[in-house]
Amino acid sequence: MISTPNLPERLAAVVGPAYVLTDPADLAPYLTDWRGRYRGDARCLVRPGNTQEVAAVVRLCAEAGVPMVPQGGNTSLCGAATPDGSGAAVIVSLARLNRVRAIDPLNNTVTVEAGCTLASVQEAAQQAGRLFPLALASEGSCQIGGNLSTNAGGVQVLRYGNTRELTLGLEVVLPNGEIWDGLRGLRKDNTGYDLKHLFIGAEGTLGIVTAAVLKLFPLPRAQITAWLALESPRAAVDMLARTQANFDARLTAFELVSDLALDLVIRYIPGTAKPSGPAPWYVLCEFSDGGSEAELRGQVESWLGECLEAGFIGDAVIAQSVAQAEKLWQLRENISEAQKIEGISIKHDIAVPVSRLPDFLARADAALAAAFPGIRIVAFGHVGDGNLHYNLSKADRQANDEFIACQPEANRIVHDLVHSLAGSISAEHGLGQLKREEILRYKDPVEMALMRSIKQAIDPRGLMNPGKLL
Amino acid sequence: MISTPNLPERLAAVVGPAYVLTDPADLAPYLTDWRGRYRGDARCLVRPGNTQEVAAVVRLCAEAGVPMVPQGGNTSLCGAATPDGSGAAVIVSLARLNRVRAIDPLNNTVTVEAGCTLASVQEAAQQAGRLFPLALASEGSCQIGGNLSTNAGGVQVLRYGNTRELTLGLEVVLPNGEIWDGLRGLRKDNTGYDLKHLFIGAEGTLGIVTAAVLKLFPLPRAQITAWLALESPRAAVDMLARTQANFDARLTAFELVSDLALDLVIRYIPGTAKPSGPAPWYVLCEFSDGGSEAELRGQVESWLGECLEAGFIGDAVIAQSVAQAEKLWQLRENISEAQKIEGISIKHDIAVPVSRLPDFLARADAALAAAFPGIRIVAFGHVGDGNLHYNLSKADRQANDEFIACQPEANRIVHDLVHSLAGSISAEHGLGQLKREEILRYKDPVEMALMRSIKQAIDPRGLMNPGKLL
């Protein structure tokens, strides 16, 4: 290791002095995550302007033996972009790599730099008459490099897949400062190990993603949104299978909402109201098509009519306008916000096989009610992905404060059950700092050893985003 | 390395003497590929009966320092399952691991062992009312373990993706004999590096895939097949984009056929005839839906009518029955067979961005015609995947024999052009022995070094399928 006191100056020589922050006041926003859960320290933050500069920054840090923390929009829910408290790290911000490099409508691809916000990628696609389907609450500020590094999910995974499935090629600066140009836009390419999948979801621990070739899709011309009332999660899972049999990929969202979750939204979010008769569970579903809206509407109406008659669903409301559809989506999208207004809660982001969702809910609800009398469970999520957000609190504020202290016990109950159902304790959000220890309880040691051998092969000195994921 | 003369006996002690072949006559069919292009030698072939036995076999071979060649249905087009000539290797046949372990229609997954034939996986899905969409010419004999190890493609990739996209989980015996149980059936799981993608497409060089969890889809209830006549590849690419804009995922196949390719089929395959008026190019397309066939037929008819009127296509024939649809598919599926009857040819399996397919065809045709006067080019393939089978020969048998000797020069022209168009010299078939040297001309050294470091991390002694891929 060479001496490092002049590292900020050497970095400034590469990227320009304006793009190296060392003043604690300037640095502060980058040293904590947006939920304020983690706080760290850093030598400096550096903002390279292109891939070559990222590579030069990485080479300088690597020569100095200094750890690097890549940071995009800093919207991680697991502290994956927050440095540790040692102050040893350099934060590498990708914000200036924000160009759309190319768009190829006939190949259905867009080539973007890591610092593009998700919204700007969506916009570039739309301007070319195409859809980039990844959609998240934080899309205005999260960056595509972060989406790639955490394999972000969202509400359209049912039809289009996670970020991983939306990616054809990557450009990555490796821990030694070399650039891997894997920016291929091919649907088929069987010429060796598929390296891009190593970096997607690696949370910056194997290198810094600087650009990607992403898949585009035709823009749907018709969309029909419907709200269904259901007796149980089992009814929702059955209804999903039936509806997919009829509509296949034209069913583009199928979101579960519990009555309790809906109640919170109605209570705290102005202008909201129950769209249907009351029921213990609801599903917000969306159908999309490239053809005529009238035709799609007719098919959805007749299908939901059949299901009502057969008793598969208790009620169904079909939005008659874009405004009505947006009202329905508001009910789903404001659950987290409503819950936040009411107070703090213990959150889970779990997945199980779709067929076991009802089992998970029945058993988790029962075990938690037994362990924590008076517990309030707000469950909602993506039925088709087997992915639930499963948030726990108590109605009374003081009781809730005591309950929050029981997070480890509550996690244990939920995660052990998820594991026994062959599920995942982090479906969408990654491990970051938050679940890095917790995962050791559940991952097969053979898998952990494989992961460590990959890390050792690509980042032998452990300089890339230390303390995250592994 | 310990002494190995008694290895067959020690393997027999694990799997039973009936499942170790050492007699040269018994071994012969496993020492060559089905096209007879490669011929190797082996110590013995061993047929373990389950994953534990595979692990025990691998441990014994690893202890003895003996290389292993995993073999499925032995249908590789690149010699990936054929041992080298040294006679040092043990062939590990997966044929006895042929159970469907589980099927979960509500989760849309099937868990199968590596030795299941592709056809048996399709059948198991169908019996559960689901579709497993991977479909290949060799589906009756190829095994799913081989499909996984080569990331097999086929005609439905447009809608459903390659084998990689169809896989949720894997079980793999690692080079040290440990078993990695990654048999998860989850649509979302962000808990570390996605290891399954390392083994998919690795051609057995990182371990032996013993089982997988695969995605299932709703069985289409309606299918409409159509044959289009077109002026040019450009017209085909444009027609694909337009048709996808209207039908999105309901367009499930879009196969290009040149007039010359069709001529060969008509000449050599009994009972075939041109379905439409003559044109330089044709497209076979298929539309699938979960709804009513009459409705889908109406939509396809009116769409193709519009396209005829607008001059986007020159002619269109819509199959009026399953038998007629099969007749159309025969024209596409018999191209390789017809070509084989006529004589030997130089084959390519290339991919370029879809938008550059017309450019590739124009430039490759011109360069080859200049280099080899009288050359006959048979081009066909998967427009939506940018993947063409591009086969070269001469009509006259003697001229053809001379031409075949020019394979290196022909490959150079085709592959250099593919590379300059950011394409792939092996879209579907893998590298195996066939393109292991050729790829070094085109792969970025950074990428080769990354691949080698992965190989070194997982198989440091290089015992898994040596001489393939890397």
Side-chain angles (χ1 to χ4, degrees), chain A residues 104 107 151 162 180 187-191 193 205 221 246 295 299 354-355 424 426 428 443 447, chain B residues 104 107 151 162 180 187-191 193 205 221 246 295 299 354-355 424 426 428 443 447:
Chain A
D104 183 345
N107 194 41
N151 184 27
N162 297 287
W180 171 50
R187 257 68 183 180
K188 285 184 177 168
D189 176 26
N190 282 342
T191 56
Y193 305 149
T205 62
R221 291 175 184 145
N246 264 11
E295 213 159 345
Q299 289 169 347
V354 176
S355 51
S424 168
S426 188
E428 296 195 301
K443 276 263 194 229
E447 183 160 334
Chain B
D104 182 345
N107 194 42
N151 184 29
N162 296 289
W180 171 49
R187 256 71 184 179
K188 285 183 178 168
D189 177 27
N190 282 342
T191 56
Y193 306 148
T205 62
R221 291 174 185 146
N246 264 12
E295 214 157 347
Q299 290 169 347
V354 176
S355 52
S424 168
S426 188
E428 296 193 304
K443 276 262 193 229
E447 183 161 333

Side-chain angles (χ1 to χ4, degrees), chain A residues 58-408:
Chain A
V58 170
R59 276 196 304 273
L60 281 176
C61 291
E63 276 168 24
V66 163
M68 291 155 265
V69 177
Q71 197 174 86
N74 200 13
T75 59
S76 170
L77 293 165
C78 306
T82 308
D84 65 26
S86 69
V90 167
I91 300 174
V92 182
S93 163
L94 281 302
R96 287 179 64 218
L97 279 78
N98 60 359
R99 291 181 313 138
V100 174
R101 288 196 195 160
I103 191 154
D104 183 345
L106 284 178
N107 194 41
N108 277 314
T109 48
V110 62
T111 306
V112 296
E113 293 184 341
C116 290
T117 62
L118 175 51
S120 72
V121 179
Q122 294 165 346
E123 225 174 270
Q126 185 138 20
Q127 278 169 16
R130 294 292 184 274
L131 173 74
F132 180 63
L134 188 66
L136 306 175
S138 60
E139 60 199 26
S141 51
C142 69
Q143 294 171 13
I144 197 73
N147 299 143
L148 287 158
S149 294
T150 58
N151 184 27
V155 295
Q156 301 211 72
V157 171
L158 179 70
R159 159 66 180 98
Y160 298 102
N162 297 287
T163 304
R164 182 181 298 287
E165 283 87 41
L166 299 174
T167 308
L168 291 176
L170 284 187
E171 179 188 81
V172 180
V173 173
L174 302 174
N176 62 3
E178 286 189 313
I179 299 167
W180 171 50
D181 178 359
L183 284 179
R184 291 186 279 265
L186 301 173
R187 257 68 183 180
K188 285 184 177 168
D189 176 26
N190 282 342
T191 56
Y193 305 149
D194 196 324
L195 298 169
K196 67 176 178 288
H197 286 300
L198 267 184
F199 298 100
I200 299 170
E203 303 185 10
T205 62
L206 297 177
I208 301 181
V209 173
T210 50
V213 183
L214 304 171
K215 286 187 199 170
L216 301 177
F217 295 83
L219 263 182
R221 291 175 184 145
Q223 281 192 313
I224 304 293
T225 308
W227 183 268
L228 316 179
L230 295 131
E231 267 315 296
S232 65
R234 167 64 60 198
V237 167
D238 289 344
M239 186 66 189
L240 172 66
R242 274 188 212 105
T243 308
Q244 282 187 312
N246 264 11
F247 288 87
D248 192 20
R250 289 190 294 164
L251 179 68
T252 46
F254 199 87
E255 296 286 304
L256 188 69
V257 176
S258 75
D259 195 42
L260 189 51
L262 182 63
D263 275 343
L264 284 179
V265 174
I266 307 292
R267 192 177 319 156
Y268 291 108
I269 308 295
T272 56
K274 284 212 180 186
S276 68
W281 294 90
Y282 307 97
V283 160
L284 175 63
C285 54
E286 189 176 72
F287 301 82
S288 305
D289 197 346
S292 100
E293 178 163 322
E295 213 159 345
L296 180 62
R297 182 176 298 278
Q299 289 169 347
V300 171
E301 277 171 1
S302 100
W303 167 243
L304 294 180
E306 277 175 46
C307 292
L308 270 169
E309 230 168 87
F312 297 149
I313 52 178
D315 196 359
V317 175
I318 300 177
Q320 298 301 319
S321 65
V322 172
Q324 276 184 27
E326 277 169 7
K327 281 254 171 207
L328 293 179
W329 271 107
Q330 268 181 32
L331 300 175
R332 164 65 183 85
E333 281 166 353
N334 278 302
I335 298 172
S336 294
E337 183 58 25
Q339 218 180 1
K340 203 170 163 186
I341 295 170
E342 229 211 12
I344 192 168
S345 63
I346 300 175
K347 293 176 191 295
H348 298 97
D349 164 40
I350 64 97
V352 293
V354 176
S355 51
R356 307 185 92 168
L357 267 182
D359 202 17
F360 167 78
L361 282 166
R363 289 167 63 183
D365 288 6
L368 289 163
F372 306 107
I375 193 171
R376 207 172 54 172
I377 298 171
V378 173
F380 60 100
H382 321 293
V383 182
D385 317 325
N387 175 203
L388 286 182
H389 302 294
Y390 188 78
N391 300 339
L392 315 176
S393 61
K394 289 199 172 181
D396 175 78
R397 201 160 278 247
Q398 196 190 327
N400 198 43
D401 288 346
E402 285 163 24
F403 171 64
I404 296 300
C406 303
Q407 173 147 11

Side-chain angles (χ1 to χ4, degrees), chain B residues 8 14 20 34 86 124 133 136 173 177 259 269 293 339 379 407 425 432 461:
Chain B
V14 167
V20 178
W34 72 278
S86 70
L136 305 177
V173 173
D259 194 42
I269 309 295
E293 178 164 322
Q339 218 179 0
Q407 172 146 14
I425 67 162
R461 297 162 73 202

